[in-house]
Structure formats: structure tokens, C-alpha cells
Amino acid sequence: MMLSQAARSRRAARNAVKAALFTATLLSVSLGGEAAYAQASGCGDIQPMLLQRKSIGERITAATRGKKQIDAKRACSDFGSLVANGDKVLKWAEANKEWCQIPDNFIQSIKEDHGRAVKIRGQACGAAAKQAQMEKQAREGGGGGGLLGGGGLSGVTRLPQGAL
């Protein structure tokens, strides 16, 4: 089965969100155990970040549900938020790994999720920029909208001059 680029991007976005939600859930369960309570000083600081991450993931999932295409501007913004959150979570997790007894596999999973989110954000923001450029060209009347490079239906197509 051959998937279009947009379908592959949607599938990748959904998978990245699912993985991020899974990681956030596992990490919050891990930090909610007895080990985290033994060193409660600061170990709960990640909870708001994980809740924010979960909320962003749910927002992205809701935006992709039942749609053939995702608005590139919104996807750029949402994945930008996810990447910013991932930066904070990663920084905190690596700084507090020993004190809060965060397992290596959770940090590795966060890194992988973050890498996927960065990649998808780049694709979404690239598509949004291209879309904005095309809209600007359309407003300015440029862009060669006709099939043969002419002005299209709204423009003037000149016939060649001289002997035929």
C-alpha cells in the first residue's frame, strides 16, 4: 500500500504523540513510587511538565482525528510547544536522574520521542512556510498559475508573434 507524503506525516505525528504520552505516563508512574517519595525534595517538579506534555499530545491527537490533512500552521505551533516541553523535561530528567532515581530507559525513551517531535516540527514548519509563500505569491498575482507557465485563466497568454 502506497501512502502519500501527507498520510505518512500524519501517521508519524500520531505515533510520536502516542510514544510521548506513553513515556510521560510511565515516567509519572515511576516518579510516583516510593523512591520518589523518599527524596520528595524536588522530584515532583516534573509532574507539571509531564501533564503539560500529555495535554499537548492530546491536542495534537484531537487535531488529527478524522482529518485527511492537518493545518500546517497549527501543526508547527503544536509541535513547537511539544519540542519546547521536551527540552525542559529532558534537561530536568538528566539533571535529576540520580537524585530521583530516574531509569536510563525512560530518559532514552524521552530522547527518542523528542527527536521524532523535532523532526515532525521541522516538516510541519517547512510546510507552513511554503504555504505562506504560496499564499503571498497568489496575493501578489505572481507564481505562474497557468498549466503552461502563463497567467492561467485570470491572466493573459500571449501568442507568438511572427510567421507561423
Side-chain angles (χ1 to χ4, degrees), residues 69-82:
Q69 259 186 325
I70 304 168
D71 178 45
K73 290 177 188 174
R74 179 174 178 183
C76 178
S77 173
D78 288 346
F79 276 96
S81 298
L82 189 64

Side-chain angles (χ1 to χ4, degrees), residues 100-120:
C100 296
Q101 299 177 1
I102 299 172
D104 290 334
N105 60 340
F106 284 122
I107 293 177
Q108 184 61 34
S109 182
I110 291 169
K111 284 181 182 179
E112 290 170 3
D113 292 342
H114 186 63
R116 284 190 292 268
V118 168
K119 181 179 177 185
I120 294 170

Side-chain angles (χ1 to χ4, degrees), residues 36 39 43 59 62 65 68 73 81 88 118 130 148 152:
Q39 293 110 4
C43 290
R59 188 171 63 224
R65 195 172 293 129
K68 288 186 176 184
K73 290 177 188 174
S81 298
K88 286 181 3 185
V118 168
K130 186 178 277 188
L148 301 174

